[in-house]
Coordinates of all heavy atoms in Angstrom, one line a residue:
L1 N 0.8 -1.2 0.0 CA 0.0 0.0 0.0 C 0.9 1.2 0.0 O 1.9 1.3 0.7 CB -0.9 0.0 1.3 CG -1.9 -1.0 1.4 CD1 -2.6 -0.9 2.7 CD2 -3.0 -0.9 0.3
S2 N 0.5 2.2 -0.8 CA 1.2 3.5 -0.8 C 0.7 4.4 0.3 O -0.5 4.3 0.7 CB 1.0 4.1 -2.1 OG -0.3 4.4 -2.4
K3 N 1.6 5.2 0.8 CA 1.3 6.1 1.9 C 0.7 7.4 1.3 O 1.2 7.8 0.2 CB 2.5 6.4 2.7 CG 3.0 5.2 3.5 CD 4.2 5.6 4.3 CE 4.8 4.3 4.9 NZ 6.0 4.6 5.7
P4 N -0.2 8.0 2.0 CA -0.8 9.3 1.4 C 0.3 10.4 1.5 O 1.1 10.4 2.4 CB -2.0 9.6 2.3 CG -1.8 8.8 3.6 CD -0.9 7.6 3.2
V5 N 0.3 11.3 0.6 CA 1.2 12.4 0.5 C 0.6 13.6 1.1 O -0.6 14.0 0.7 CB 1.7 12.6 -0.9 CG1 2.6 13.8 -1.0 CG2 2.3 11.4 -1.5
D6 N 1.3 14.3 2.0 CA 0.7 15.5 2.6 C 1.0 16.7 1.7 O 2.1 17.0 1.4 CB 1.4 15.7 4.0 CG 0.9 17.0 4.7 OD1 -0.2 17.4 4.3 OD2 1.6 17.4 5.6
I7 N -0.1 17.3 1.2 CA 0.0 18.4 0.3 C -0.6 19.7 0.9 O -0.9 20.6 0.2 CB -0.6 18.1 -1.1 CG1 -2.1 17.8 -0.9 CG2 0.1 17.0 -1.8 CD1 -2.9 17.7 -2.2
T8 N -0.6 19.7 2.2 CA -1.2 20.9 2.9 C -0.2 22.1 2.7 O 1.0 21.9 2.6 CB -1.4 20.7 4.4 OG1 -0.2 20.2 5.0 CG2 -2.4 19.6 4.6
H9 N -0.7 23.3 2.7 CA 0.0 24.5 2.6 C 0.9 24.7 3.8 O 0.4 24.6 4.9 CB -0.9 25.7 2.3 CG -0.1 27.0 2.3 ND1 0.7 27.4 1.3 CD2 -0.1 28.0 3.2 CE1 1.2 28.6 1.5 NE2 0.7 29.0 2.7
V10 N 2.1 25.1 3.7 CA 3.0 25.4 4.8 C 3.5 26.9 4.6 O 4.0 27.2 3.5 CB 4.2 24.5 4.9 CG1 5.1 24.9 6.0 CG2 3.8 23.0 5.0
N11 N 3.2 27.7 5.6 CA 3.6 29.1 5.5 C 5.1 29.2 5.8 O 5.6 28.9 6.9 CB 2.8 29.9 6.5 CG 3.2 31.4 6.4 OD1 4.0 31.8 5.6 ND2 2.6 32.2 7.2
V12 N 5.9 29.6 4.8 CA 7.3 29.7 5.0 C 7.9 31.1 5.1 O 9.0 31.3 4.9 CB 8.1 28.9 3.8 CG1 7.8 27.4 3.9 CG2 7.7 29.5 2.5
A13 N 7.0 32.0 5.3 CA 7.4 33.4 5.4 C 8.3 33.6 6.7 O 8.2 32.9 7.7 CB 6.1 34.3 5.6
K14 N 9.2 34.5 6.6 CA 10.1 34.9 7.6 C 10.9 33.7 8.1 O 11.0 33.4 9.3 CB 9.4 35.5 8.8 CG 8.7 36.8 8.4 CD 8.0 37.5 9.5 CE 7.4 38.8 9.0 NZ 6.6 39.5 10.1
N15 N 11.5 32.9 7.2 CA 12.4 31.8 7.5 C 11.8 30.8 8.5 O 12.4 30.4 9.5 CB 13.7 32.4 8.1 CG 14.9 31.4 8.0 OD1 14.8 30.4 7.3 ND2 16.0 31.7 8.7
H16 N 10.6 30.4 8.1 CA 9.9 29.4 8.9 C 10.8 28.1 9.1 O 11.4 27.7 8.2 CB 8.6 29.0 8.2 CG 7.6 28.3 9.1 ND1 7.6 26.9 9.1 CD2 6.7 28.7 9.9 CE1 6.7 26.6 10.0 NE2 6.1 27.6 10.5
S17 N 10.8 27.6 10.3 CA 11.7 26.4 10.6 C 11.2 25.1 10.0 O 12.0 24.2 9.8 CB 11.8 26.3 12.1 OG 10.5 26.0 12.6
E18 N 10.0 25.0 9.6 CA 9.5 23.8 9.0 C 9.3 23.9 7.5 O 8.3 23.4 6.9 CB 8.2 23.3 9.7 CG 8.4 23.0 11.1 CD 7.1 22.4 11.7 OE1 6.3 21.8 11.0 OE2 7.0 22.5 12.9
H19 N 10.2 24.6 6.8 CA 10.2 24.7 5.4 C 10.2 23.4 4.7 O 11.2 22.6 4.9 CB 11.3 25.6 5.0 CG 11.2 26.1 3.5 ND1 11.1 25.3 2.5 CD2 11.2 27.4 3.1 CE1 11.1 26.0 1.4 NE2 11.1 27.3 1.7
P20 N 9.3 23.0 3.8 CA 9.3 21.7 3.2 C 10.3 21.5 2.2 O 10.6 20.4 1.8 CB 7.9 21.6 2.6 CG 7.5 23.0 2.4 CD 8.1 23.8 3.4
H21 N 10.9 22.6 1.7 CA 11.9 22.5 0.6 C 13.2 23.2 1.0 O 13.8 24.0 0.2 CB 11.4 23.1 -0.7 CG 10.0 22.6 -1.1 ND1 9.9 21.3 -1.5 CD2 8.8 23.1 -1.1 CE1 8.6 21.1 -1.8 NE2 7.9 22.1 -1.5
M22 N 13.7 22.9 2.2 CA 14.9 23.6 2.7 C 16.2 23.1 2.0 O 17.2 23.8 2.0 CB 15.1 23.4 4.2 CG 14.1 24.2 5.0 SD 14.5 26.0 4.9 CE 15.6 26.1 6.2
G23 N 16.2 22.0 1.3 CA 17.3 21.5 0.6 C 18.2 20.7 1.6 O 17.8 20.1 2.5
A24 N 19.5 20.7 1.2 CA 20.4 19.8 2.0 C 20.9 20.5 3.2 O 20.8 21.7 3.4 CB 21.6 19.5 1.1
R25 N 21.6 19.7 4.1 CA 22.2 20.2 5.3 C 23.7 20.4 5.0 O 24.3 19.7 4.3 CB 22.0 19.3 6.4 CG 20.6 19.1 6.9 CD 20.5 18.1 8.0 NE 19.1 17.8 8.3 CZ 18.5 18.2 9.4 NH1 19.2 18.9 10.3 NH2 17.3 17.9 9.6
D26 N 24.3 21.4 5.7 CA 25.8 21.6 5.5 C 26.5 20.7 6.5 O 25.9 19.9 7.2 CB 26.1 23.1 5.7 CG 25.8 23.6 7.1 OD1 25.5 22.8 8.0 OD2 25.9 24.9 7.3
E27 N 27.8 20.9 6.6 CA 28.6 20.1 7.5 C 28.3 20.2 9.0 O 28.6 19.4 9.8 CB 30.1 20.3 7.3 CG 30.6 21.7 7.7 CD 30.5 22.7 6.5 OE1 30.0 22.4 5.4 OE2 31.0 23.8 6.7
N28 N 27.6 21.3 9.3 CA 27.2 21.6 10.7 C 25.7 21.2 10.9 O 25.1 21.6 11.9 CB 27.3 23.1 11.1 CG 28.8 23.5 11.0 OD1 29.7 22.7 11.4 ND2 29.0 24.6 10.4
K29 N 25.2 20.4 10.0 CA 23.8 19.9 10.1 C 22.7 21.0 10.0 O 21.6 20.8 10.5 CB 23.6 19.0 11.4 CG 24.6 17.9 11.6 CD 24.1 16.7 10.9 CE 25.0 15.5 11.4 NZ 25.6 14.8 10.4
K30 N 23.1 22.1 9.5 CA 22.1 23.2 9.3 C 21.6 23.2 7.9 O 22.3 23.0 6.9 CB 22.8 24.6 9.6 CG 23.5 24.7 11.0 CD 22.8 25.7 11.8 CE 23.5 26.1 13.0 NZ 23.3 25.3 14.1
F31 N 20.3 23.5 7.7 CA 19.7 23.6 6.4 C 20.2 24.9 5.7 O 20.7 25.8 6.3 CB 18.2 23.7 6.5 CG 17.5 22.4 6.8 CD1 16.9 22.1 8.0 CD2 17.5 21.4 5.8 CE1 16.3 20.9 8.2 CE2 16.9 20.2 6.0 CZ 16.3 19.9 7.3
G32 N 20.1 24.8 4.4 CA 20.4 26.0 3.6 C 21.6 25.8 2.7 O 22.1 26.7 2.0
Y33 N 22.2 24.6 2.7 CA 23.4 24.3 1.9 C 23.0 24.4 0.4 O 22.0 23.8 0.0 CB 24.0 22.9 2.2 CG 25.0 22.4 1.2 CD1 26.3 22.9 1.2 CD2 24.6 21.5 0.2 CE1 27.2 22.5 0.3 CE2 25.6 21.1 -0.7 CZ 26.9 21.5 -0.7 OH 27.8 21.1 -1.6
L34 N 23.7 25.1 -0.4 CA 23.5 25.2 -1.8 C 24.6 24.5 -2.6 O 25.8 24.9 -2.4 CB 23.3 26.6 -2.3 CG 22.1 27.4 -1.7 CD1 22.2 28.8 -2.1 CD2 20.8 26.7 -2.1
H35 N 24.4 23.5 -3.3 CA 25.4 22.8 -4.1 C 26.0 23.6 -5.2 O 25.2 24.3 -5.9 CB 24.8 21.5 -4.6 CG 25.8 20.7 -5.5 ND1 26.9 20.1 -4.9 CD2 25.9 20.5 -6.8 CE1 27.6 19.5 -5.9 NE2 27.0 19.7 -7.0
D36 N 27.3 23.7 -5.3 CA 27.9 24.4 -6.4 C 28.7 23.4 -7.2 O 29.8 22.9 -6.8 CB 28.9 25.4 -5.8 CG 29.6 26.2 -6.9 OD1 29.2 26.1 -8.1 OD2 30.5 27.0 -6.6
E37 N 28.1 23.0 -8.4 CA 28.8 22.0 -9.2 C 30.0 22.5 -9.9 O 30.8 21.7 -10.5 CB 27.8 21.5 -10.3 CG 27.3 22.5 -11.3 CD 26.1 23.3 -10.8 OE1 25.7 23.1 -9.7 OE2 25.7 24.2 -11.6
T38 N 30.3 23.8 -9.8 CA 31.6 24.3 -10.4 C 32.7 24.5 -9.4 O 33.7 25.0 -9.7 CB 31.3 25.6 -11.1 OG1 30.9 26.6 -10.1 CG2 30.2 25.5 -12.1
A39 N 32.5 24.1 -8.1 CA 33.4 24.3 -7.1 C 34.8 23.7 -7.4 O 35.8 24.3 -7.2 CB 32.9 23.8 -5.7
L40 N 34.8 22.5 -7.8 CA 36.1 21.8 -8.1 C 36.8 22.5 -9.3 O 38.0 22.6 -9.3 CB 35.9 20.3 -8.5 CG 35.7 19.4 -7.3 CD1 35.4 18.0 -7.7 CD2 37.0 19.4 -6.4
R41 N 36.1 22.9 -10.3 CA 36.7 23.6 -11.4 C 37.3 25.0 -11.0 O 38.3 25.4 -11.4 CB 35.7 23.8 -12.5 CG 36.3 24.4 -13.8 CD 35.4 24.4 -15.0 NE 34.0 24.6 -14.8 CZ 33.4 25.8 -14.7 NH1 34.1 26.9 -14.9 NH2 32.1 25.9 -14.6
K42 N 36.5 25.7 -10.1 CA 37.0 27.0 -9.7 C 38.2 26.9 -8.7 O 39.0 27.8 -8.7 CB 35.8 27.7 -9.0 CG 34.8 28.1 -10.0 CD 33.6 28.8 -9.2 CE 32.5 29.3 -10.2 NZ 31.4 29.8 -9.4
N43 N 38.2 25.9 -7.9 CA 39.2 25.7 -6.8 C 39.7 24.3 -6.8 O 39.4 23.6 -5.8 CB 38.7 26.2 -5.5 CG 39.8 26.3 -4.4 OD1 40.9 26.3 -4.7 ND2 39.4 26.2 -3.2
P44 N 40.5 23.8 -7.8 CA 40.9 22.4 -7.9 C 41.9 22.1 -6.8 O 42.8 22.9 -6.5 CB 41.4 22.3 -9.3 CG 41.9 23.6 -9.7 CD 40.9 24.6 -9.0
P45 N 41.9 20.9 -6.3 CA 42.9 20.5 -5.4 C 44.2 20.2 -6.2 O 44.2 19.9 -7.4 CB 42.4 19.2 -4.8 CG 41.4 18.7 -5.8 CD 40.9 19.9 -6.4
P46 N 45.4 20.3 -5.5 CA 46.6 20.0 -6.2 C 46.7 18.6 -6.7 O 46.2 17.7 -6.0 CB 47.7 20.3 -5.2 CG 47.0 20.2 -3.9 CD 45.6 20.6 -4.1
F47 N 47.2 18.4 -7.9 CA 47.3 17.0 -8.5 C 48.8 16.6 -8.5 O 49.6 17.3 -9.2 CB 46.7 17.0 -9.9 CG 46.8 15.7 -10.6 CD1 46.0 14.7 -10.2 CD2 47.7 15.5 -11.6 CE1 46.1 13.4 -10.8 CE2 47.8 14.2 -12.2 CZ 47.0 13.2 -11.8
R48 N 49.1 15.6 -7.7 CA 50.5 15.2 -7.6 C 50.6 13.7 -8.1 O 50.0 12.9 -7.5 CB 51.0 15.3 -6.2 CG 51.1 16.7 -5.7 CD 51.7 16.8 -4.3 NE 51.7 18.2 -3.9 CZ 50.7 18.8 -3.3 NH1 49.6 18.2 -3.1 NH2 50.9 20.0 -2.9
F49 N 51.3 13.5 -9.2 CA 51.5 12.2 -9.7 C 53.0 12.1 -10.0 O 53.5 12.4 -11.1 CB 50.7 12.0 -11.0 CG 50.6 10.6 -11.6 CD1 50.6 9.5 -10.7 CD2 50.6 10.4 -12.9 CE1 50.6 8.3 -11.2 CE2 50.5 9.2 -13.4 CZ 50.5 8.1 -12.6
S50 N 53.8 11.7 -9.0 CA 55.2 11.7 -9.1 C 55.8 10.8 -10.2 O 56.9 11.0 -10.7 CB 55.9 11.3 -7.8 OG 55.4 10.0 -7.4
T51 N 55.1 9.8 -10.6 CA 55.6 8.8 -11.6 C 55.0 9.1 -13.0 O 54.9 8.2 -13.8 CB 55.4 7.4 -11.2 OG1 54.0 7.2 -11.0 CG2 56.1 7.1 -9.9
L52 N 54.5 10.3 -13.2 CA 53.8 10.6 -14.5 C 54.7 10.3 -15.7 O 54.3 9.7 -16.6 CB 53.4 12.0 -14.5 CG 52.6 12.5 -15.7 CD1 51.3 11.7 -15.9 CD2 52.3 14.0 -15.6
R53 N 55.9 10.8 -15.7 CA 56.8 10.6 -16.8 C 57.1 9.2 -17.1 O 57.0 8.7 -18.2 CB 58.1 11.4 -16.6 CG 58.0 12.9 -16.7 CD 59.4 13.6 -16.8 NE 59.3 15.0 -16.6 CZ 59.0 15.9 -17.5 NH1 58.7 15.4 -18.7 NH2 58.9 17.1 -17.3
A54 N 57.3 8.4 -16.0 CA 57.6 7.0 -16.2 C 56.3 6.3 -16.7 O 56.4 5.4 -17.6 CB 58.0 6.3 -14.9
A55 N 55.2 6.7 -16.2 CA 53.9 6.0 -16.6 C 53.6 6.3 -18.1 O 53.1 5.5 -18.8 CB 52.8 6.5 -15.8
C56 N 54.0 7.5 -18.6 CA 53.7 7.9 -19.9 C 54.6 7.2 -20.9 O 54.3 7.1 -22.1 CB 53.8 9.4 -20.1 SG 52.5 10.4 -19.4
K57 N 55.8 6.7 -20.5 CA 56.7 6.0 -21.3 C 56.3 4.6 -21.6 O 56.8 4.0 -22.5 CB 58.1 6.0 -20.7 CG 58.7 7.4 -20.7 CD 60.1 7.3 -20.1 CE 60.7 8.7 -20.2 NZ 62.1 8.8 -19.6
I58 N 55.3 4.1 -20.8 CA 54.9 2.7 -21.0 C 54.0 2.7 -22.3 O 52.9 3.3 -22.3 CB 54.1 2.2 -19.8 CG1 55.0 2.2 -18.6 CG2 53.5 0.8 -20.1 CD1 54.3 1.9 -17.3
Q59 N 54.4 2.0 -23.3 CA 53.6 1.9 -24.5 C 53.2 0.4 -24.7 O 53.7 -0.2 -25.7 CB 54.3 2.5 -25.7 CG 54.6 3.9 -25.5 CD 55.1 4.6 -26.7 OE1 55.2 4.0 -27.8 NE2 55.4 5.9 -26.6
D60 N 52.3 -0.1 -23.9 CA 51.9 -1.5 -23.9 C 50.7 -1.6 -24.8 O 50.4 -0.8 -25.6 CB 51.6 -2.0 -22.5 CG 50.6 -1.2 -21.8 OD1 50.1 -0.2 -22.4 OD2 50.3 -1.5 -20.6
D61 N 50.0 -2.8 -24.7 CA 48.8 -3.0 -25.5 C 47.7 -2.0 -25.2 O 47.0 -1.6 -26.2 CB 48.2 -4.4 -25.2 CG 49.2 -5.5 -25.7 OD1 50.0 -5.2 -26.6 OD2 49.1 -6.6 -25.1
H62 N 47.6 -1.5 -24.0 CA 46.6 -0.5 -23.7 C 46.9 0.8 -24.5 O 46.0 1.4 -25.0 CB 46.5 -0.2 -22.2 CG 46.1 -1.4 -21.4 ND1 44.9 -1.9 -21.4 CD2 46.8 -2.2 -20.6 CE1 44.8 -2.9 -20.6 NE2 46.0 -3.1 -20.1
Y63 N 48.1 1.2 -24.5 CA 48.5 2.4 -25.3 C 48.2 2.2 -26.8 O 47.7 3.1 -27.4 CB 50.0 2.6 -25.1 CG 50.6 3.8 -25.8 CD1 50.4 5.1 -25.4 CD2 51.2 3.6 -27.1 CE1 50.9 6.2 -26.1 CE2 51.7 4.7 -27.8 CZ 51.5 6.0 -27.3 OH 52.0 7.0 -28.0
Q64 N 48.5 1.0 -27.3 CA 48.3 0.7 -28.7 C 46.8 0.9 -29.0 O 46.4 1.4 -30.0 CB 48.7 -0.7 -29.0 CG 50.2 -0.9 -28.9 CD 51.0 -0.3 -30.0 OE1 50.6 -0.1 -31.1 NE2 52.2 0.1 -29.6
M65 N 45.9 0.3 -28.1 CA 44.5 0.4 -28.3 C 44.0 1.9 -28.3 O 43.0 2.2 -29.0 CB 43.7 -0.4 -27.3 CG 43.9 -1.9 -27.5 SD 43.1 -2.5 -29.0 CE 41.4 -2.3 -28.7
L66 N 44.6 2.7 -27.5 CA 44.1 4.1 -27.4 C 44.7 5.0 -28.5 O 44.1 6.0 -28.8 CB 44.6 4.7 -26.1 CG 43.9 4.1 -24.8 CD1 44.6 4.5 -23.6 CD2 42.4 4.5 -24.8
T67 N 45.8 4.6 -29.1 CA 46.4 5.5 -30.1 C 46.5 5.0 -31.5 O 46.7 5.8 -32.4 CB 47.9 5.8 -29.7 OG1 48.6 4.5 -29.6 CG2 47.9 6.5 -28.3
K68 N 46.3 3.7 -31.7 CA 46.3 3.2 -33.1 C 45.0 2.8 -33.6 O 44.0 2.6 -32.9 CB 47.2 1.9 -33.1 CG 48.6 2.0 -32.5 CD 49.4 2.9 -33.4 CE 50.8 3.0 -32.8 NZ 51.6 4.1 -33.3
K69 N 44.8 2.8 -34.9 CA 43.6 2.4 -35.6 C 43.4 0.9 -35.4 O 44.2 0.1 -35.6 CB 43.6 2.7 -37.0 CG 42.3 2.5 -37.8 CD 42.4 2.9 -39.2 CE 41.1 2.7 -39.9 NZ 41.1 3.1 -41.3
V70 N 42.2 0.6 -34.9 CA 41.8 -0.8 -34.6 C 41.1 -1.4 -35.8 O 40.1 -0.8 -36.3 CB 41.0 -1.0 -33.4 CG1 40.6 -2.4 -33.1 CG2 41.7 -0.4 -32.2
V71 N 41.5 -2.5 -36.3 CA 40.9 -3.2 -37.4 C 40.4 -4.5 -37.0 O 41.1 -5.3 -36.4 CB 41.9 -3.4 -38.6 CG1 41.2 -4.1 -39.8 CG2 42.4 -2.1 -39.1
V72 N 39.1 -4.8 -37.2 CA 38.5 -6.1 -36.8 C 38.4 -6.9 -38.0 O 37.7 -6.5 -39.0 CB 37.2 -5.8 -36.1 CG1 36.5 -7.1 -35.7 CG2 37.3 -4.9 -34.8
D73 N 38.9 -8.1 -37.9 CA 38.7 -9.1 -39.0 C 37.4 -9.8 -38.8 O 37.2 -10.8 -38.2 CB 39.9 -10.1 -38.9 CG 39.8 -11.2 -40.0 OD1 39.0 -11.0 -41.0 OD2 40.5 -12.2 -39.9
L74 N 36.4 -9.2 -39.5 CA 35.0 -9.7 -39.3 C 34.8 -11.1 -39.9 O 34.1 -11.9 -39.3 CB 34.0 -8.7 -39.9 CG 33.9 -7.3 -39.2 CD1 33.0 -6.4 -40.0 CD2 33.5 -7.4 -37.8
Q75 N 35.4 -11.3 -41.0 CA 35.3 -12.6 -41.6 C 35.9 -13.7 -40.8 O 35.4 -14.7 -40.5 CB 35.9 -12.6 -43.0 CG 35.7 -13.9 -43.8 CD 36.3 -13.9 -45.2 OE1 36.9 -12.9 -45.6 NE2 36.3 -15.0 -45.9
G76 N 37.1 -13.4 -40.3 CA 37.8 -14.4 -39.4 C 37.1 -14.6 -38.1 O 37.0 -15.7 -37.6
H77 N 36.5 -13.5 -37.6 CA 35.7 -13.6 -36.4 C 34.5 -14.5 -36.6 O 34.1 -15.4 -35.8 CB 35.2 -12.2 -35.9 CG 34.2 -12.3 -34.8 ND1 34.6 -12.6 -33.5 CD2 32.9 -12.0 -34.8 CE1 33.5 -12.6 -32.7 NE2 32.5 -12.2 -33.5
E78 N 33.8 -14.3 -37.7 CA 32.6 -15.1 -38.0 C 32.9 -16.6 -38.2 O 32.2 -17.5 -37.7 CB 31.9 -14.6 -39.3 CG 30.5 -15.1 -39.4 CD 29.7 -14.4 -40.5 OE1 29.9 -13.1 -40.6 OE2 29.0 -15.0 -41.2
E79 N 34.1 -16.9 -38.9 CA 34.5 -18.2 -39.1 C 34.8 -18.9 -37.7 O 34.5 -20.1 -37.5 CB 35.7 -18.3 -40.0 CG 35.3 -18.0 -41.4 CD 36.6 -17.8 -42.3 OE1 37.7 -18.1 -41.9 OE2 36.4 -17.4 -43.5
A80 N 35.5 -18.2 -36.9 CA 35.8 -18.7 -35.5 C 34.6 -19.0 -34.7 O 34.5 -20.0 -34.0 CB 36.7 -17.7 -34.8
E81 N 33.6 -18.1 -34.8 CA 32.3 -18.3 -34.1 C 31.6 -19.6 -34.6 O 31.1 -20.3 -33.8 CB 31.4 -17.1 -34.3 CG 31.8 -15.9 -33.5 CD 31.6 -16.0 -32.0 OE1 30.6 -16.5 -31.6 OE2 32.6 -15.7 -31.3
K82 N 31.6 -19.7 -35.9 CA 30.9 -20.9 -36.5 C 31.6 -22.2 -36.2 O 31.0 -23.3 -36.1 CB 30.8 -20.7 -38.0 CG 29.8 -19.7 -38.5 CD 29.7 -19.6 -40.0 CE 28.7 -18.5 -40.4 NZ 28.7 -18.4 -41.9
S83 N 32.9 -22.2 -36.0 CA 33.7 -23.4 -35.8 C 33.4 -24.0 -34.4 O 33.6 -25.2 -34.2 CB 35.2 -23.1 -35.9 OG 35.6 -22.4 -34.8
G84 N 33.0 -23.2 -33.5 CA 32.7 -23.7 -32.2 C 33.9 -23.9 -31.3 O 33.8 -24.3 -30.2
R85 N 35.1 -23.6 -31.8 CA 36.3 -23.7 -31.0 C 36.4 -22.6 -30.0 O 36.0 -21.5 -30.2 CB 37.6 -23.6 -31.9 CG 37.8 -24.8 -32.9 CD 39.0 -24.5 -33.7 NE 38.7 -23.3 -34.6 CZ 39.6 -22.6 -35.1 NH1 40.9 -22.8 -34.9 NH2 39.3 -21.5 -35.9
K86 N 36.9 -23.0 -28.8 CA 37.2 -22.0 -27.8 C 38.4 -21.2 -28.1 O 39.4 -21.7 -28.6 CB 37.3 -22.6 -26.4 CG 36.0 -23.2 -25.9 CD 36.2 -23.6 -24.4 CE 34.9 -24.0 -23.9 NZ 35.0 -24.3 -22.5
R87 N 38.3 -19.9 -27.9 CA 39.5 -19.0 -28.2 C 40.2 -18.6 -27.0 O 39.6 -18.4 -26.0 CB 39.1 -17.8 -29.0 CG 38.6 -18.2 -30.4 CD 38.4 -17.0 -31.2 NE 36.9 -16.7 -31.2 CZ 36.4 -15.6 -31.7 NH1 37.2 -14.7 -32.2 NH2 35.2 -15.3 -31.7

């Protein structure tokens, strides 16, 4: 069973304490927090990746997949699928 929804009017004049749409609470558990989705872009934390140069020198299969053109042998794939052999 669904519960009935209370749609009665609530007077929110003069910062009424039982405001039905007060939003989220801040870190001090007080209502009125407004989310700022641009906060990280405006004030980004420092990014430290000490092994960045070493990590960029690794050119393994993952690097190849990200930087090279991938060609799929569709005919070979279809033949392998039809053969029933495990790959």
Side-chain angles (χ1 to χ4, degrees):
L1 293 173
S2 61
K3 296 180 182 177
V5 177
D6 182 15
I7 59 170
T8 57
H9 174 72
V10 177
N11 184 1
V12 295
K14 296 184 182 176
N15 202 11
H16 194 269
S17 62
E18 294 187 26
H19 192 301
H21 307 291
M22 285 292 270
R25 295 178 187 253
D26 63 10
E27 65 271 8
N28 298 319
K29 307 270 191 234
K30 302 245 192 277
F31 282 112
Y33 169 78
L34 296 176
H35 177 69
D36 180 9
E37 63 276 359
T38 63
L40 279 176
R41 182 169 39 88
K42 290 178 180 174
N43 189 19
F47 180 72
R48 292 181 182 89
F49 188 36
S50 60
T51 58
L52 180 63
R53 290 191 191 277
C56 288
K57 289 181 182 179
I58 299 172
Q59 295 190 6
D60 57 0
D61 293 336
H62 298 288
Y63 177 84
Q64 298 285 330
M65 289 295 290
L66 292 170
T67 60
K68 304 293 182 199
K69 184 176 181 179
V70 177
V71 178
V72 178
D73 179 12
L74 295 175
Q75 184 179 357
H77 172 72
E78 193 168 322
E79 289 172 7
E81 287 289 314
K82 287 180 182 177
S83 72
R85 291 178 295 156
K86 288 190 175 184
R87 295 189 260 169

